Amino acid sequence: MQRRARDHVGELTLVLSAVSLALVFGTAGGFVPSGVLPRIDPLVSAIPHLNALLSATALVSITVGVRAIRRGNVARHRRAMVATTLVFVGFLAFYLYRIALVGPSEFPGPETAYQFVYLPLLAVHILLAVASIPLVYYVLLVAVTRPVAAIRESPHPRIGRIAAALWAVSFGLGIVVYGLLYVVQW
């Protein structure tokens, strides 16, 4: 099984990316009926704050992972990147749950801030998140299907640097978007 996956990392990356993006955009587009999900109002209210914390946690674990691999500590790098992936899965599950039930949050600030600050930041955040998905899947699939020595010779290090940078900036911008929606007193 691992050999078959190793021989088809590109195809698996495409399939997983397409399924993931269809799930995200389908939920955001209202194609997931909210009636099929149990509504837990305290959780729904807490999700934006929880996801900001998860985003900050992901930023820390990405930083730890990048520093570890630069120092040659493969085991620590692997643990940090697996932790980042698990944090992201939790973030995404909470985000999709909330979006399916209540839709996106409305921007509470003035129209000028909405047009010239919030929307551009949100657009870049979303674009980077979308761009990160296939890169992250690719590096994860390479990492789990090859021995460490072979990973060093693969595109994993180069693509991993790009994926980590895009992912980190996306998480950071997500925190800024959270601040604009829930922290700044307009």
Side-chain angles (χ1 to χ4, degrees):
M1 178 72 160
Q2 187 177 17
R3 178 179 161 79
R4 290 181 67 186
R6 183 183 64 227
D7 294 341
H8 299 284
V9 166
E11 294 91 340
L12 286 170
T13 297
L14 288 174
V15 168
L16 290 171
S17 298
V19 168
S20 298
L21 291 171
L23 178 63
V24 170
F25 286 113
T27 303
F31 294 106
V32 174
S34 61
V36 301
L37 298 171
R39 186 178 180 116
I40 306 167
D41 286 324
L43 177 60
V44 171
S45 299
I47 286 173
H49 315 295
L50 177 60
N51 273 354
L53 180 62
L54 290 173
S55 293
T57 302
L59 278 171
V60 170
S61 61
I62 289 169
T63 302
V64 167
V66 168
R67 290 183 69 185
I69 202 63
R70 285 184 181 162
R71 294 179 176 158
N73 190 337
V74 174
R76 185 170 185 173
H77 169 74
R78 181 171 282 192
R79 284 191 307 271
M81 297 325 241
V82 167
T84 303
T85 303
L86 294 174
V87 167
F88 175 67
V89 168
F91 169 94
L92 191 58
F94 287 131
Y95 174 78
L96 293 175
Y97 172 73
R98 186 173 190 284
I99 290 296
L101 291 176
V102 298
S105 299
E106 289 190 32
F107 182 72
E111 184 65 23
T112 305
Y114 176 75
Q115 288 181 355
F116 297 107
V117 178
Y118 177 75
L119 278 183
L121 285 172
L122 182 62
V124 172
H125 163 66
I126 291 169
L127 287 172
L128 291 177
V130 168
S132 297
I133 288 174
L135 300 175
V136 169
Y137 275 133
Y138 179 81
V139 295
L140 285 171
L141 288 167
V142 168
V144 300
T145 60
R146 288 169 172 72
V148 172
I151 293 171
R152 290 186 182 114
E153 303 304 319
S154 75
H156 177 95
R158 181 176 41 87
I159 294 173
R161 281 189 292 276
I162 296 166
L166 296 179
W167 218 11
V169 173
S170 178
F171 276 122
L173 287 176
I175 294 169
V176 173
V177 166
Y178 163 81
L180 292 171
L181 288 171
Y182 300 99
V183 178
V184 173
Q185 299 297 311
W186 299 99

